Amino acid sequence: MRFNRICVIGLGYIGLPTACTFADRGIKVVGVDTNPQIIEVLQQGGLHLYEPGLKELSGKALTSGNLKVGSQPENADAFIIAVPTPFQDGKKADLSFVHAACESIVPFLRPGNLVVLESTSPPRTTVDFALPILEKSGLRAGTDFLLAYSPERVLPGKILRELVENARVIGGIDPASAQAGSDLYRIIVKGEIIQTDATTAEMVKLMENTYRDVNIAIANEFSRLSERFGIDIWEAVSIANHHPRVKILSPGPGVGGHCISVDPWFLVESAPDITPLIRTAREVNDSQPEFVLKKVQKLLGPLNGKSITAFGLAYKPDVDDFRESPAVNCVRLLQNSGVRVSVFEPFMNEPLPGIRTSPTIEEAVREADLLLLLVNHSQFRTLDPKEINIKTSARKVLDTVNGWDRGQWEKAGFNFHKLGSGRD
Ligand code: SAJ
């Protein structure tokens, strides 16, 4: 199938890079977003999100005339839906944006068109949820128009490269839809394109992130056992990983971000009676901040009135994303226990409600009973404990991510503790 004109619904972290990349390959692209501010910023040559290389690419796409942005879909050969699927209280996927996006396409859908859903969704969303809405057009899926699911699997910070180089899964509601999806993404994708059915493609995305979540959960449970039995989890993991078929991941204060900490719930929600392992893994990872709190209590005694310096708030090292961050949860738990927490976060751009951040490490560490490392940012790994010693009143250190060297901190005069170490 040939595509001259496509319409991308949703201009966020996935939709905008996708729209710009197609436009860069000479395709006429209509980018649609319901948020008028996003459209205004883009039309003025600005960008509402940060992703390396995207500002240049969107500027180029807009000035070439290949990309235009607006609030309404237009007629096109293909429609790509890349809207968010947040999760609501009760750990259920909120499909309202997918619903609105499908509805918005209905008046523009023509025989022979292809519709692709990219948003991470519970299994069967394409066939049981998107398809009936699109058929309100009076056209039949599979007969009059083609329909596929293709998950995004790109890593923030590397989106433009991974969009092109990663393998791409295309799940069609029938083989013709999968083939049409392959033809579409072949315009931008250099990696392998794997065709399957729509529900398998949805499952693949959820399985990848769930697999990682379960593996991190077992690492976290091993770290609890290590404390109980007086050994160091980090040493034990590095020895176990010498086995050719073992690759234990790293324990830590929990699992965050908007993917791995969310997607497994889509499986649990869809089939609660047959997913005890996935649910338990989520619960283990979500309870890690409480495990950190208990460890802090052991070190400091009653927490009310104590002062702690927290290093980091982001959900993982060297990113500026704070969604579902376990570090944020640790800070909030400590605050609720009466601790005065001063935070240093080099990637902070907007303040988080109720959390006080310090502009410098010097200020953050000045008066503290404990230094708490929550995120393994590169900037923290290279800190010199001797210099920190001069600046802080703290004598105790708790490292939750294996970022600091015990020997160096002890030599600098600190009482050093690590999450998952029963040897402190
Ligand atoms: N984490 C650990 N221990 C580890 C590894 C990670 O505690 O050994 C924690 C991190 O600190 C973080 C969380 O897990 O809080 C998730 O981080 P991550 O780097 O594992 O994954 P994400 O959420 O940044 O990106 C994932 C990726 N999926 C997989 O690796 C299977 C990415 O490829 C997906 O595109 C992305 O989810 C997504 O959009 O779904």
Side-chain angles (χ1 to χ4, degrees):
M1 189 172 168
R2 286 183 61 81
F3 300 90
N4 298 314
R5 190 176 160 82
I6 68 167
C7 187
V8 178
I9 319 286
L11 297 177
Y13 274 99
I14 302 302
L16 184 61
T18 305
C20 293
T21 307
F22 272 106
D24 196 50
R25 301 290 185 279
I27 304 294
K28 293 284 177 211
V29 183
V30 180
V32 180
D33 206 290
T34 50
N35 183 339
Q37 279 164 347
I38 291 180
I39 299 301
E40 206 183 305
V41 169
L42 288 170
Q43 277 167 342
Q44 287 166 1
L47 206 56
H48 56 293
L49 46 86
Y50 175 71
E51 177 61 29
L54 187 56
K55 196 160 193 300
E56 296 73 23
L57 191 65
S58 68
K60 198 174 147 204
L62 285 161
T63 46
S64 72
N66 283 345
L67 174 65
K68 72 172 193 179
V69 292
S71 57
Q72 284 289 325
E74 293 182 14
N75 289 106
D77 302 315
F79 297 86
I80 294 176
I81 299 172
V83 294
T85 42
F87 78 146
Q88 309 157 314
D89 290 348
K91 317 284 189 200
K92 285 195 178 334
D94 174 359
L95 293 177
S96 58
F97 295 103
V98 175
H99 188 280
C102 291
E103 289 276 3
S104 76
I105 293 173
V106 167
F108 302 95
L109 202 57
R110 299 286 176 267
N113 281 171
L114 166 69
V115 180
V116 183
L117 177 63
E118 281 202 16
S119 315
T120 305
S121 306
R124 299 196 64 83
T125 297
T126 307
V127 284
D128 291 347
F129 186 85
L131 184 151
I133 302 172
L134 295 166
E135 286 194 340
K136 287 188 194 172
S137 59
L139 302 175
R140 295 274 78 85
T143 314
D144 303 319
F145 70 94
L146 302 144
L147 177 59
Y149 180 81
S150 181
E152 59 81 12
R153 291 137 97 214
V154 290
L155 209 59
K158 296 183 183 166
I159 291 180
L160 293 180
R161 182 155 65 80
E162 292 208 353
L163 205 54
V164 173
E165 290 177 8
N166 283 6
R168 186 99 205 183
V169 183
I170 316 273
I173 58 152
D174 55 16
S177 296
Q179 184 56 51
S182 295
D183 296 342
L184 174 64
Y185 286 93
R186 188 41 85 206
I187 298 169
I188 60 167
V189 172
K190 289 193 189 138
E192 191 182 355
I193 294 184
I194 305 140
Q195 293 185 30
T196 182
D197 63 87
T199 308
T200 301
E202 290 163 347
M203 274 293 285
V204 164
K205 165 74 189 194
L206 298 172
M207 280 164 43
E208 288 167 352
N209 282 352
T210 301
Y211 168 84
R212 197 155 167 84
D213 196 45
V214 171
N215 278 287
I216 298 170
I218 191 120
N220 282 331
E221 213 159 84
F222 287 154
S223 80
R224 299 174 189 193
L225 288 164
S226 298
E227 290 204 4
R228 171 87 47 101
F229 299 124
I231 66 153
D232 183 308
I233 182 63
W234 307 94
E235 183 193 352
V237 167
S238 82
I239 297 170
N241 284 351
H242 278 75
H243 187 289
R245 286 174 297 283
V246 173
K247 177 79 188 79
I248 301 170
L249 293 174
S250 304
V255 170
H258 195 65
C259 303
I260 297 190
S261 70
V262 174
D263 297 357
W265 287 119
F266 290 2
L267 293 176
V268 175
E269 166 206 340
S270 306
D273 53 324
I274 48 174
T275 47
L277 174 67
I278 300 171
R279 169 189 286 277
T280 304
R282 272 291 58 245
E283 285 166 352
V284 168
N285 288 334
D286 274 354
S287 64
Q288 274 303 96
E290 274 154 42
F291 185 62
V292 173
L293 178 74
K294 284 199 187 112
K295 179 112 185 168
V296 172
Q297 268 163 344
K298 255 195 214 160
L299 295 177
L300 295 183
L303 290 181
N304 201 13
K306 297 277 166 42
S307 295
I308 291 180
T309 305
F311 287 79
L313 279 180
Y315 87 91
K316 70 175 186 178
D318 301 328
V319 299
D320 66 349
D321 192 338
F322 303 91
R323 289 176 297 173
E324 323 297 333
S325 171
V328 172
N329 290 341
C330 287
V331 169
R332 293 207 192 282
L333 281 176
L334 288 165
Q335 286 177 329
N336 293 343
S337 309
V339 176
R340 190 179 156 277
V341 188
S342 55
V343 181
F344 181 69
E345 171 49 74
F347 290 89
M348 200 81 215
N349 32 37
E350 267 177 48
L352 295 175
I355 295 186
R356 207 172 63 89
T357 50
S358 298
T360 60
I361 290 189
E362 284 73 11
E363 194 181 308
V365 299
R366 199 169 295 143
E367 278 170 44
D369 299 297
L370 175 80
L371 305 181
L372 177 64
L373 179 61
L374 291 172
V375 186
N376 208 359
H377 288 316
S378 329
Q379 185 183 341
F380 297 159
R381 284 199 293 272
T382 52
L383 284 177
D384 181 351
K386 289 198 287 303
E387 278 178 27
I388 298 287
N389 192 4
I390 302 163
K391 294 168 184 152
T392 183
S393 57
R395 289 281 65 93
K396 289 180 180 166
V397 171
L398 174 58
D399 173 357
T400 66
V401 289
N402 197 28
W404 286 338
D405 182 84
R406 175 188 295 277
Q408 279 184 21
W409 284 83
E410 284 180 346
K411 217 164 131 195
F414 288 97
N415 185 339
F416 189 86
H417 303 267
K418 224 193 292 189
L419 195 76
S421 175
R423 288 201 187 129
D424 300 332

